[in-house]
Amino acid sequence: AQVTKVLHKWEIYVGCENILSYQQDVPILNANAPFEPGFDATNIWGPVMGRKIYFGFRFAIPPSKNKKN
C-alpha cells in the first residue's frame, strides 16, 4: 500500500510492503548442507522478510522551454 500527497512540484509518499509481516517458515530446505541430496532452494513461495515501511519525497523538474532539435 502507498499514499502520495502532491504539493505543487513536490510529492510526499509513505507506504508499506508485507503489511501483516507474514514470513514463510522454512524457505530453503536443508540450507545448512547445500551439497546434500535434501537441499532444495525452489520451495520459496512466500515472503522471506518481514514488514517494510518506507517514505520519501519527489520533486518534479519541468522540461526546458529553450530546447532546440
Side-chain angles (χ1 to χ4, degrees):
Q2 179 175 312
V3 177
T4 303
K5 175 72 176 170
V6 179
L7 303 166
H8 302 287
K9 295 180 182 181
W10 288 91
E11 291 183 14
I12 302 169
Y13 63 90
V14 62
C16 184
E17 295 179 13
N18 195 5
I19 295 172
L20 300 177
S21 195
Y22 177 80
Q23 293 181 6
Q24 186 177 346
D25 289 335
V26 183
I28 300 175
L29 300 177
N30 211 7
N32 57 345
F35 298 105
E36 298 297 320
F39 177 78
D40 188 2
T42 63
N43 262 351
I44 299 176
W45 52 265
V48 293
M49 295 191 298
R51 180 180 304 121
K52 185 184 295 185
I53 299 172
Y54 57 89
F55 64 94
F57 303 95
R58 290 187 203 106
F59 180 73
I61 300 173
S64 175
K65 295 183 180 182
N66 327 3
K67 188 176 180 182
K68 295 180 181 180
N69 289 334

